[in-house]
């Protein structure tokens, strides 16, 4: 029914504007999808209800998009709001339309009305993460950090493995100037710890958490999570690079060099890794250590592409020293 009503409204506006709403790419895409749906139904008649829901979900979303585009083409968002209001008055349980209406109010700068609309959506569909995040953003626009954090905390609790939500929550808590600096840092830290703790066997998550802590000058937590990544994937040399680079950034140069040297420890002492170590050391201004790494690499291979790269790097370092 939604598709029929909206399609009628779109067709009427298209006629008034002298447009042909039946020949655009969206119409062709819809016809193709319908044909696929009919073929799937013939092949799997027992899945008819599921196929119909899938098709109708697409059709409704596509119709809303085209309807929205038509009103925007005319530059009449107020008319779009009236249409949504009229529709919701007759279809009280249409969450998608309620979300769309809240978004239009937000776009029009009607913050109070947008907040009210998103709050209505969440009363009816508390699991809608998109509504909760949009509401949190509006609260932030008004400086309501506590309310924004409350929404993001609920969203993160409902999807604890979503790192983005924990990052957002921590950032809101960290930026809340109504709290003391110590309290802000501690609350944000507790949120950011979830980035890794919810997936404790994932070295990529460990690095992600380390980068967040690093960006907010929580040095101990950053180093701890770089270490966790190395513990989980000790043969992945890039993690040794990361922690070395951070230590160098902190002014702990000797520790940084020691970390970088782990790139070539044991079985990792390949020509490629000696070359990479030399490149890192040269890039951070440690010429003598870089030349020593080049020499070690050349002991393993004197010619070929890798040997040429090592010789070229040695020439560059020596020229820079002049």
């Amino acid at each position: 029914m939604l598709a029929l009503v909206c399609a009628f409204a779109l067709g009427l506006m298209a006629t008034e504007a002298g447009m042909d709403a039946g020949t655009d790419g969206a119409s062709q895409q819809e016809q193709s999808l319908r044909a696929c749906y009919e073929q799937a139904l013939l092949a799997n008649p027992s899945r008819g209800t599921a196929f119909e829901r899938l098709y109708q979900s697409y059709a409704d979303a596509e119709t809303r998009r085209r309807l929205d585009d038509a009103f925007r083409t005319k530059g009449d968002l107020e008319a779009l709001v009236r249409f949504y209001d009229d529709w919701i008055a007759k279809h009280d349980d249409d969450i998608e339309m309620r979300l769309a209406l809240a978004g239009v109010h937000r776009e029009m700068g009607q913050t109070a009305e947008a907040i009210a609309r998103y709050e209505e959506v969440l009363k009816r569909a508390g699991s809608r993460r998109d509504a909760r995040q949009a509401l949190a953003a509006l609260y932030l626009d008004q400086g309501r950090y506590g309310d924004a954090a409350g929404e993001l905390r609920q969203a993160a609790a409902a999807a604890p493995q979503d790192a983005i939500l924990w990052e957002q929550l921590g950032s809101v808590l960290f930026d809340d100037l109504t709290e003391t600096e110590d309290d802000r840092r501690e609350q944000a830290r507790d949120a950011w710890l979830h980035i890794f703790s919810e997936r404790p066997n994932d070295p990529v998550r460990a690095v992600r958490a380390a980068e967040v802590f690093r960006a907010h000058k929580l040095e101990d937590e950053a180093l701890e999570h770089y270490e966790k990544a190395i513990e989980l994937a000790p043969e992945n040399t890039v993690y040794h690079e990361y922690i070395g680079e951070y230590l160098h950034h902190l002014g702990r140069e000797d520790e940084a060099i020691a970390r970088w040297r782990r790139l070539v420890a044991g079985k990792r002492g390949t020509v490629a890794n000696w070359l990479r170590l030399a490149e890192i050391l040269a890039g951070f201004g440690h010429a003598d250590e870089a030349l020593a790494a080049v020499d070690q690499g050349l002991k393993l291979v004197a010619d070929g592409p890798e040997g040429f790269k090592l010789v070229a790097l040695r020439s560059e370092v020596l020229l820079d020293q002049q």
Side-chain angles (χ1 to χ4, degrees):
M1 180 59 69
L2 171 61
L4 289 175
V5 172
C6 291
F8 173 79
L10 179 62
L12 179 60
M13 288 184 291
T15 300
E16 291 176 347
M19 299 183 293
D20 179 1
T23 59
D24 62 8
S27 295
Q28 294 173 11
Q29 184 179 15
E30 190 170 340
Q31 291 168 10
S32 297
L33 183 66
R34 183 71 197 187
C36 290
Y37 156 69
E38 291 172 352
Q39 291 177 20
L41 186 58
L42 286 172
N44 301 273
S46 63
R47 301 288 302 280
T49 301
F51 286 144
E52 181 61 32
R53 282 200 301 267
L54 180 62
Y55 171 76
Q56 195 59 45
S57 174
Y58 166 84
D60 288 351
E62 178 62 16
T63 302
R64 276 192 296 272
R65 184 193 66 76
R66 292 165 63 186
L67 176 68
D68 190 85
D69 287 347
F71 276 110
R72 291 177 187 281
T73 298
K74 294 181 120 183
D76 197 350
L77 292 182
E78 292 183 359
L80 182 57
V81 167
R82 290 194 298 271
F83 177 85
Y84 284 153
D85 277 329
D86 290 344
W87 178 265
I88 291 169
K90 298 173 185 176
H91 305 83
D92 187 62
D93 61 345
D94 194 330
I95 297 300
E96 297 301 329
M97 280 296 202
R98 288 181 176 276
L99 271 172
L101 176 58
V104 175
H105 280 300
R106 181 182 181 184
E107 185 177 347
M108 294 173 68
Q110 298 171 349
T111 302
E113 186 63 28
I115 286 175
R117 296 290 187 174
Y118 281 123
E119 289 174 340
E120 287 177 7
V121 168
L122 290 170
K123 286 178 183 177
R124 297 165 179 269
S127 63
R128 290 300 297 252
R129 164 182 165 172
D130 48 356
R132 209 168 285 286
Q133 287 180 289
L135 180 57
L138 287 169
Y139 283 150
L140 282 179
D141 290 342
Q142 293 192 326
R144 296 166 60 178
Y145 285 87
D147 290 332
E151 296 300 329
L152 291 172
R153 190 174 279 111
Q154 290 187 64
Q161 292 203 359
D162 191 324
I164 292 175
L165 292 171
W166 293 114
E167 286 184 37
Q168 291 177 338
L169 174 58
S171 294
V172 169
L173 293 167
F174 192 85
D175 293 338
D176 184 2
L177 297 180
T178 64
E179 301 285 343
T180 66
E181 181 176 355
D182 288 343
D183 286 344
R184 289 191 295 116
R185 289 167 65 90
E186 187 62 27
Q187 291 180 52
R189 174 186 176 279
D190 289 344
W192 289 325
L193 284 172
H194 284 275
I195 295 171
F196 175 67
S197 67
E198 299 294 342
R199 289 176 59 177
N201 296 316
D202 187 347
V204 175
R205 277 296 187 91
V207 170
R208 183 168 187 165
E211 296 294 325
V212 171
F213 285 122
R214 174 178 178 172
H216 293 85
K217 295 182 171 53
L218 293 170
E219 297 173 5
D220 291 342
E221 290 80 1
L223 289 169
E224 177 186 350
H225 283 81
Y226 282 131
E227 293 282 13
K228 289 181 183 296
I230 293 170
E231 290 172 9
L232 290 168
E235 298 307 311
N236 190 331
T237 58
V238 72
Y239 298 144
H240 297 283
E241 289 189 37
Y242 290 162
I243 195 169
E245 187 275 331
Y246 185 45
L247 287 166
H248 203 280
H249 172 77
L250 295 175
R252 297 160 63 173
E253 296 186 5
D254 290 343
E255 292 178 70
I257 293 172
R259 285 291 184 162
W260 285 327
R261 284 181 175 148
R262 295 190 186 184
L263 269 69
V264 294
K267 295 180 180 180
R268 293 193 294 271
T270 63
V271 176
N273 285 343
W274 278 109
L275 173 61
R276 182 59 188 147
L277 174 60
E279 290 172 339
I280 293 169
L281 292 167
F284 282 88
H286 300 287
D288 292 340
E289 291 83 354
L291 291 172
V294 166
D295 289 340
Q296 288 297 322
L298 288 172
K299 289 180 181 179
L300 298 176
V301 58
D303 51 21
E306 290 176 326
F308 176 79
K309 290 179 181 178
L310 285 164
V311 172
L313 179 59
R314 180 169 60 185
S315 297
E316 290 177 12
V317 173
L318 290 172
L319 285 171
D320 287 341
Q321 285 184 314
Q322 293 180 0

